[in-house]
Amino acid sequence: QLQSTSSVAMYMNALRRGCKCLELDVWDGEKSKAGKLLPVIFHGHTLTSKILFQDVLRGVKSYLDSNPKTYPVILSLENHCSHEYQETMASDLETILGDALYVPDLKDGDLL
């Protein structure tokens, strides 16, 4: 894939077709007018368009809310983000996906 228009709708289409794993190539994006960092998804080093990471998460969450028997859906994050943007990604994952996000219980000394 060297050039194309990316869209949240294509991720939703994949889920409707039964896809259980979405690969998200996440990169540093820009800052909103309010100063929030906005990670973006695109196929790096190509001419594909960029879409907001948070928009894709909202689409996935909407799909899961409408189709609760579809669990689990795996988000494979190909992370190219700086530490700052990774913090935003983590916050977005927790905030947007909420209870739909699996987070293992870690005990002292456990590694992820």
Side-chain angles (χ1 to χ4, degrees):
Q1 180 177 341
L2 295 176
Q3 63 182 14
S4 67
T5 302
S6 304
S7 74
V8 174
M10 294 309 293
Y11 287 96
M12 301 298 289
N13 188 34
L15 290 170
R16 282 191 293 277
R17 290 177 167 211
C19 180
K20 293 291 191 180
C21 182
L22 300 176
E23 181 177 293
L24 308 178
D25 291 5
V26 190
W27 298 78
D28 288 357
E30 299 187 14
K31 289 185 180 180
S32 71
K33 291 180 182 178
K36 182 182 190 287
L37 299 177
L38 301 170
V40 294
I41 296 174
F42 75 104
H43 195 182
H45 310 295
T46 67
L47 299 175
T48 57
S49 63
K50 298 174 183 176
I51 53 178
L52 293 177
F53 177 68
Q54 65 184 4
D55 288 349
V56 173
L57 292 182
R58 285 188 187 105
V60 169
K61 175 65 168 145
S62 174
Y63 179 81
L64 293 172
D65 287 346
S66 299
N67 301 279
K69 293 184 179 181
T70 196
Y71 284 92
V73 169
I74 298 167
L75 300 179
S76 174
L77 302 177
E78 187 174 311
N79 186 358
H80 302 276
C81 291
S82 64
H83 186 71
E84 282 182 307
Y85 280 85
Q86 289 179 43
E87 289 175 348
T88 298
M89 288 172 59
S91 176
D92 287 348
L93 284 161
E94 291 175 339
T95 302
I96 295 168
L97 296 180
D99 291 344
L101 180 65
Y102 172 72
V103 180
D105 290 329
L106 296 179
K107 298 177 182 132
D108 290 336
D110 286 349
L111 297 177
L112 206 54

